[in-house]
Amino acid sequence: MDEFRLDPRQARRAFERAARAGADAAVLQREVERRMFERLDYIRLEPARVLDAGCGAGRGLKLLWRRYPKADLIGADFALAAVRAAKGSESLIERALRLVARARRFRLCADFSRLPLRPGCVDMVWSNLALAWAGDPLAALRELHRVLAPGGLLMFSSYGPDTLKELKTAFAAGSPGRHVHSFVDMHDAGDMLVACGFAEPVMDMEAITLTYADVAALARDLKTSGQTCAARDRRRGLIGRAAWQEMLAAYERERRDGRLPATFEIVYGHAWKGEPRVAADGRQIVKWKTKTRR
């Protein structure tokens, strides 16, 4: 799993800068979020408490509140500036309606792999394109499993390995070293869910292609949304002028109809937390069903 490990401080700094600049979620994040909410139409669940893991500026919290107006909502993000933005995003009307419904809202600045929550305290974990930025994705999934109550649902989206494949290829033409992350494959993500103890994982993926006028527009979009390279083995410092020009020339070969494509492989997954089979002290849990005599 080392190739998927990120530098959490670098990732946090990037999202801090984006949040302080007041940047809203990028077009791609909003579109993936919309498609994830459509998937909830097929899931029968009325959670009493929902965790938005990687809540950003709080857009997902607003949508979750509209779907589950009686549920307590917890927004967690590792970027403090994003948590502060989420705290200020609730309107007076939303606050009044939430108070009438006696639903509470909490915001936490916390790392995915070390959430300050007790075991089994939430009924649903929602995470939109945030697991891709976890320092250790397996540890993050284990932690999300820990805070879920038995019978609880994890629903998430992340990036797959073909994300920004055109940019990866273009950089490889002129500059050694890593400039774009490696992302977990859909099948590997499913295996990780099983390894963490989740039941009935359902995985699928799709490719979404955005187009840009030039590489500068793509780089600006990634930077303003906080999605810059934070791989531990990333190239440090600026690349030379010649290498940069080679990268631009390589990317130009991808131009179609006057635009440069940028592919994003979106991985969707959901899974349930089953009933525990082993007690905290290691003893096996055996359930007995008794028949009532007539």
Side-chain angles (χ1 to χ4, degrees):
M1 297 302 296
D2 286 344
E3 64 179 303
F4 303 115
R5 291 179 183 269
L6 306 185
D7 178 349
R9 291 178 295 179
Q10 175 64 20
R12 187 180 300 111
R13 282 195 292 265
F15 283 100
E16 286 278 359
R17 287 194 296 266
R20 285 196 296 268
D24 192 8
V27 172
L28 179 64
Q29 281 80 4
R30 293 197 297 270
E31 177 59 23
V32 173
E33 186 176 63
R34 182 188 67 79
R35 299 184 187 195
M36 283 179 66
F37 269 96
E38 288 181 350
R39 293 164 184 255
L40 283 177
D41 292 338
Y42 303 99
I43 295 175
R44 302 182 67 177
L45 181 69
E46 288 297 329
R49 186 173 294 148
V50 180
L51 168 65
D52 184 352
C55 66
R59 175 182 167 82
L61 288 170
K62 285 179 176 286
L63 298 177
L64 287 165
W65 171 72
R66 292 171 188 170
R67 182 172 285 266
Y68 306 115
K70 297 181 180 180
D72 292 340
L73 298 179
I74 304 171
D77 201 283
F78 66 176
L80 181 58
V83 175
R84 288 171 173 167
K87 184 175 181 179
S89 66
E90 186 179 25
S91 69
L92 291 176
I93 294 177
E94 289 173 336
R95 178 176 173 80
L97 292 174
R98 180 171 57 80
L99 292 175
V100 169
R102 297 183 178 180
R104 297 171 295 175
R105 187 175 293 187
F106 307 93
R107 289 94 175 173
L108 304 173
C109 184
D111 187 272
F112 272 20
S113 59
R114 295 185 300 274
L115 291 169
L117 298 172
R118 61 180 174 81
C121 67
V122 299
D123 305 299
M124 176 180 169
V125 174
W126 169 274
S127 186
N128 178 32
L129 293 178
L131 280 169
W133 305 100
D136 182 342
L138 184 59
L141 287 173
R142 285 196 182 113
E143 183 69 348
L144 297 182
H145 183 273
R146 183 187 69 83
V147 301
L148 263 179
L153 172 69
L154 167 66
M155 176 168 278
F156 70 95
S157 60
S158 189
Y159 291 123
D162 274 348
T163 295
L164 294 174
K165 62 181 181 180
E166 300 90 353
L167 186 60
K168 290 179 184 178
T169 302
F171 267 122
S175 176
R178 187 186 299 277
H179 297 272
V180 183
H181 294 162
S182 292
F183 296 107
V184 178
D185 178 82
M186 174 184 71
H187 303 290
D188 292 333
D191 292 341
M192 290 165 63
L193 289 172
V194 174
C196 293
F198 284 100
E200 304 176 37
V202 176
M203 306 294 302
D204 66 305
M205 60 76 65
E206 64 179 335
I208 298 177
T209 302
L210 304 182
T211 61
Y212 294 87
D214 49 36
V215 174
L218 168 59
R220 186 167 53 250
D221 197 2
L222 294 173
K223 184 176 181 179
T224 56
S225 61
Q227 302 182 102
T228 56
C229 186
R232 290 188 178 183
D233 59 346
R234 68 189 182 279
R235 180 188 173 94
R236 310 299 174 101
L238 300 175
I239 67 173
R241 183 185 296 272
W244 181 256
Q245 292 300 322
E246 284 188 48
M247 185 277 289
L248 293 179
Y251 212 140
E252 278 296 323
R253 291 193 283 272
E254 299 289 340
R255 189 177 289 275
R256 300 291 184 273
D257 300 322
R259 306 281 290 180
L260 292 179
T263 299
F264 294 85
E265 181 182 339
I266 308 300
V267 173
Y268 300 95
H270 72 262
W272 301 86
K273 181 174 180 177
E275 294 291 335
R277 297 182 179 180
V278 180
D281 59 4
R283 291 180 298 173
Q284 198 77 15
I285 296 175
V286 179
K287 293 187 176 182
W288 297 91
K289 292 185 179 179
T290 59
K291 293 183 178 180
T292 303
R293 293 183 179 180
R294 295 182 177 179

